[in-house]
Amino acid sequence: MATSDCIFCKIVEGEIPSTKVYEDEHAIAFQDLYPAAPVHILVIPKKHIASLDAATKEDQERLGHLLLTVQRVAREQGLDQKGYRVVNNMGDDGGQTVHHIHFHLLGGRSLTWPPG
Ligand code: AMP
Ligand code: ZN
Protein backbone atom coordinates (compact mmCIF):
# COMPACT_ATOMS: atom_id res chain seq x y z
CA MET A 1 0.00 0.00 0.00
CA ALA A 2 1.30 3.43 -0.88
CA THR A 3 2.18 5.71 2.00
CA SER A 4 -0.32 8.32 0.77
CA ASP A 5 -3.17 5.79 1.19
CA CYS A 6 -2.16 4.87 4.72
CA ILE A 7 -4.27 6.20 7.61
CA PHE A 8 -1.45 5.83 10.13
CA CYS A 9 0.92 7.83 7.87
CA LYS A 10 -1.83 10.48 7.83
CA ILE A 11 -1.94 10.40 11.63
CA VAL A 12 1.88 10.83 11.68
CA GLU A 13 1.51 13.84 9.35
CA GLY A 14 -1.37 15.27 11.40
CA GLU A 15 -3.77 15.01 8.43
CA ILE A 16 -6.10 12.79 10.48
CA PRO A 17 -6.75 13.68 14.13
CA SER A 18 -5.60 11.38 16.90
CA THR A 19 -5.22 11.52 20.65
CA LYS A 20 -1.45 11.32 20.95
CA VAL A 21 0.07 10.22 24.23
CA TYR A 22 3.73 10.17 23.16
CA GLU A 23 5.89 11.38 20.27
CA ASP A 24 9.60 11.44 19.46
CA GLU A 25 11.72 11.58 16.31
CA HIS A 26 10.95 8.01 15.25
CA ALA A 27 7.72 6.92 16.92
CA ILE A 28 4.29 8.05 18.03
CA ALA A 29 1.69 6.53 20.35
CA PHE A 30 -2.00 7.37 20.27
CA GLN A 31 -5.32 6.12 21.63
CA ASP A 32 -7.02 3.35 19.65
CA LEU A 33 -10.33 4.63 18.24
CA TYR A 34 -12.16 1.43 19.35
CA PRO A 35 -10.57 0.51 22.68
CA ALA A 36 -10.67 -3.18 23.62
CA ALA A 37 -9.45 -2.52 27.18
CA PRO A 38 -9.39 0.44 29.62
CA VAL A 39 -5.95 1.28 28.19
CA HIS A 40 -5.59 0.61 24.45
CA ILE A 41 -2.81 2.54 22.78
CA LEU A 42 -1.16 2.02 19.39
CA VAL A 43 2.58 2.53 19.08
CA ILE A 44 3.86 3.03 15.53
CA PRO A 45 7.04 4.05 13.73
CA LYS A 46 6.89 7.32 11.79
CA LYS A 47 8.40 5.44 8.85
CA HIS A 48 5.85 3.47 6.83
CA ILE A 49 6.55 -0.25 7.26
CA ALA A 50 3.55 -2.27 6.05
CA SER A 51 3.81 -5.13 8.56
CA LEU A 52 6.22 -7.13 10.68
CA ASP A 53 6.77 -9.34 7.66
CA ALA A 54 7.76 -6.30 5.58
CA ALA A 55 10.43 -5.19 8.07
CA THR A 56 14.09 -5.61 7.08
CA LYS A 57 17.48 -5.64 8.76
CA GLU A 58 17.56 -1.88 8.13
CA ASP A 59 14.62 -1.55 10.54
CA GLN A 60 16.33 -3.40 13.39
CA GLU A 61 17.13 -0.33 15.49
CA ARG A 62 13.76 1.26 14.72
CA LEU A 63 11.89 -1.84 15.89
CA GLY A 64 13.96 -2.04 19.07
CA HIS A 65 13.16 1.61 19.71
CA LEU A 66 9.47 0.91 19.08
CA LEU A 67 9.35 -1.84 21.68
CA LEU A 68 11.12 0.32 24.25
CA THR A 69 8.60 3.04 23.43
CA VAL A 70 5.83 0.57 24.32
CA GLN A 71 7.62 -0.03 27.64
CA ARG A 72 7.88 3.71 28.26
CA VAL A 73 4.22 4.39 27.47
CA ALA A 74 3.14 1.41 29.60
CA ARG A 75 5.05 2.89 32.56
CA GLU A 76 3.57 6.35 31.91
CA GLN A 77 0.10 4.77 31.93
CA GLY A 78 0.87 3.09 35.27
CA LEU A 79 0.61 -0.42 33.83
CA ASP A 80 4.05 -1.76 34.74
CA GLN A 81 3.13 -3.03 38.22
CA LYS A 82 0.03 -5.02 37.31
CA GLY A 83 1.07 -5.93 33.75
CA TYR A 84 -0.15 -5.46 30.24
CA ARG A 85 -0.24 -7.10 26.82
CA VAL A 86 1.59 -6.12 23.63
CA VAL A 87 0.09 -7.37 20.36
CA ASN A 88 1.19 -7.23 16.76
CA ASN A 89 -1.30 -8.55 14.19
CA MET A 90 0.28 -9.64 10.89
CA GLY A 91 -1.64 -10.31 7.70
CA ASP A 92 -5.18 -11.61 7.19
CA ASP A 93 -5.06 -14.57 9.58
CA GLY A 94 -3.38 -12.38 12.18
CA GLY A 95 -6.28 -9.92 11.93
CA GLN A 96 -4.24 -6.99 10.60
CA THR A 97 -6.56 -4.28 9.28
CA VAL A 98 -4.21 -1.30 9.05
CA HIS A 99 -1.15 -1.96 6.92
CA HIS A 100 1.34 0.19 8.81
CA ILE A 101 3.13 -1.81 11.50
CA HIS A 102 1.87 -1.14 15.03
CA PHE A 103 1.99 -2.58 18.49
CA HIS A 104 -1.22 -2.61 20.51
CA LEU A 105 -0.61 -1.82 24.18
CA LEU A 106 -3.52 -3.24 26.19
CA GLY A 107 -4.05 -3.04 29.94
CA GLY A 108 -6.08 -1.76 32.84
CA ARG A 109 -7.92 -5.06 33.36
CA SER A 110 -7.06 -8.74 33.64
CA LEU A 111 -6.81 -10.01 30.05
CA THR A 112 -7.87 -13.50 29.02
CA TRP A 113 -5.77 -16.01 27.09
CA PRO A 114 -5.83 -17.42 24.45
CA PRO A 115 -7.15 -14.67 22.16
CA GLY A 116 -9.97 -15.53 19.75
P1 AMP B 1 -5.04 -4.10 13.49
O1 AMP B 1 -6.38 -4.76 13.33
O2 AMP B 1 -4.06 -4.87 14.32
O3 AMP B 1 -4.46 -3.71 12.15
O4 AMP B 1 -5.29 -2.80 14.34
C1 AMP B 1 -5.73 -1.61 13.79
C2 AMP B 1 -6.27 -0.79 14.94
O5 AMP B 1 -6.34 0.55 14.51
C3 AMP B 1 -7.66 -1.20 15.41
O6 AMP B 1 -7.63 -1.53 16.80
C4 AMP B 1 -8.51 0.06 15.15
O7 AMP B 1 -9.47 0.28 16.16
C5 AMP B 1 -7.47 1.14 15.12
N1 AMP B 1 -7.78 2.32 14.32
C6 AMP B 1 -8.24 2.36 13.05
N2 AMP B 1 -8.34 3.63 12.61
C7 AMP B 1 -7.93 4.41 13.64
C8 AMP B 1 -7.79 5.81 13.83
N3 AMP B 1 -8.12 6.69 12.85
N4 AMP B 1 -7.35 6.27 15.02
C9 AMP B 1 -7.03 5.41 16.01
N5 AMP B 1 -7.11 4.06 15.89
C10 AMP B 1 -7.57 3.58 14.73
ZN1 ZN C 1 1.86 4.19 6.75
Side-chain angles (χ1 to χ4, degrees), residues 45-77:
K46 288 188 170 177
K47 177 190 171 188
H48 180 86
I49 301 169
S51 71
L52 183 56
D53 188 64
T56 68
K57 191 82 179 162
E58 194 193 302
D59 299 314
Q60 183 159 299
E61 209 172 313
R62 185 172 276 102
L63 292 179
H65 174 72
L66 207 58
L67 209 41
L68 287 175
T69 302
V70 175
Q71 178 204 61
R72 178 193 184 116
V73 173
R75 287 178 179 167
E76 286 172 0
Q77 296 290 320

Side-chain angles (χ1 to χ4, degrees), residues 1-115:
M1 183 192 279
T3 305
S4 60
D5 298 332
C6 172
I7 58 169
F8 285 181
C9 282
K10 288 186 171 138
I11 284 176
V12 169
E13 296 303 323
E15 292 168 20
I16 290 181
S18 69
T19 306
K20 271 185 217 160
V21 298
Y22 177 78
E23 177 165 17
D24 66 25
E25 191 185 348
H26 296 294
I28 65 167
F30 53 94
Q31 306 282 1
D32 196 292
L33 209 51
Y34 304 102
V39 177
H40 188 172
I41 290 167
L42 302 173
V43 182
I44 75 169
K46 288 188 170 177
K47 177 190 171 188
H48 180 86
I49 301 169
S51 71
L52 183 56
D53 188 64
T56 68
K57 191 82 179 162
E58 194 193 302
D59 299 314
Q60 183 159 299
E61 209 172 313
R62 185 172 276 102
L63 292 179
H65 174 72
L66 207 58
L67 209 41
L68 287 175
T69 302
V70 175
Q71 178 204 61
R72 178 193 184 116
V73 173
R75 287 178 179 167
E76 286 172 0
Q77 296 290 320
L79 299 177
D80 50 310
Q81 292 302 315
K82 294 191 91 175
Y84 52 88
R85 184 169 296 161
V86 182
V87 173
N88 172 255
N89 296 325
M90 203 315 280
D92 288 344
D93 275 5
Q96 184 177 7
T97 58
V98 177
H99 297 277
H100 180 130
I101 193 170
H102 50 280
F103 288 123
H104 297 252
L105 168 63
L106 297 150
R109 66 172 168 84
S110 183
L111 299 160
T112 58
W113 190 264

